[in-house]
Structures are given as structure tokens and as C-alpha cells.
Amino acid sequence: MSESWIIDDFAAALEQFEAAMQVVPESDLIKAGCIQYFEFTFELAWKSVKILAEQAGLEAGGSPRSCLKTAFAQSWIDDEPLWLEMLEARNRMSHTYHAKEALQVYDRLSHFTRPMRTLLVALRTA
């Protein structure tokens, strides 16, 4: 059975994330929405890697970190430290909420869209 649905969901989430990042952040509500789009997109990114790696007969592991290592080994991502930064940002926002940390994460979000787009292209051609 093909698991292309996850790639389609990842693509749709990424489009929403990219669109959200184009909105002028006139309030913290907009920033919070962008962070939420980031979290959702990141989840679909690593889960896409997991499913496609398993389909290819690779051992991806069950954690986001192990899936990112697999993606790097397969050249699906090229900037592992940036992806690990994304993982850390996702963890900080998923497990706790502090306004100061949220603003720091928001300030980095614009750096995360390009690598996600690159991963999506790589997974579609894998």
C-alpha cells in the first residue's frame, strides 16, 4: 500500500506554514498561529521520512531524531544541525509554553521553510 497520503499532507501543511509566514505579524496571535503551523508541519515531515524510509527497507527508528539521522544519511536533508534546531524548537513549544521562548522560536521560523521544502522535493523523488 502506498503511503503517499503522508507526503500530500506534508505538502499541504507546508503550503499553509509558508502562507502563514507571509502574514505581517501584527499580534502575538498571528505569531502563535505560525508556530502552530510549524509544529504541525514538522510532525508531518519527520513522519514522512519514517514511512518512506521503512518503505525503502531502511531502519528509521521511532523518534524524530533517528528519522532525521536517516534523512541526512539518505541525503534527503542537507543541513542536519538546522533540522536538529527545528526539533528542539518543536520540543520547546510542544512541552511547555513561555512567551519569551515562543518569540525566540517565531524569530527562527523563516529559516525553517526552505529546508522543509527541500525535504518535500527529495521525498517526492525518493
Side-chain angles (χ1 to χ4, degrees):
M1 177 180 155
S2 173
E3 298 290 350
S4 65
W5 64 268
I6 191 125
I7 300 297
D8 294 339
D9 285 355
F10 174 34
L14 181 55
E15 287 178 22
Q16 290 296 314
F17 176 40
E18 289 170 332
M21 290 303 297
Q22 297 303 311
V23 175
V24 176
E26 295 176 352
S27 71
D28 287 345
L29 184 62
I30 292 171
K31 292 178 182 180
C34 290
I35 291 168
Q36 186 65 49
Y37 277 121
F38 159 70
E39 289 177 281
F40 188 67
T41 305
F42 183 84
E43 288 301 304
L44 288 166
W46 81 262
K47 289 177 182 177
S48 295
V49 167
K50 180 179 179 1
I51 289 171
L52 265 66
E54 289 172 351
Q55 284 181 338
L58 303 169
E59 177 57 46
S63 72
R65 185 174 302 276
S66 64
C67 289
L68 293 177
K69 290 192 177 300
T70 298
F72 184 71
Q74 294 300 308
S75 298
W76 295 341
I77 63 173
D78 61 359
D79 189 345
E80 189 178 23
L82 184 59
W83 278 91
L84 293 174
E85 178 187 345
M86 284 189 245
L87 173 59
E88 175 62 27
R90 176 278 221 158
N91 288 345
R92 284 189 309 188
M93 294 299 95
S94 294
H95 301 295
T96 188
Y97 181 81
H98 297 285
K100 183 178 177 182
E101 284 189 37
L103 292 176
Q104 289 172 343
V105 168
Y106 176 81
D107 290 341
R108 293 291 297 153
L109 292 182
S110 63
H111 299 279
F112 299 162
T113 55
R114 183 203 56 80
M116 287 188 177
R117 178 65 57 189
T118 300
L119 173 62
L120 178 61
V121 169
L123 293 177
R124 283 187 165 157
T125 60

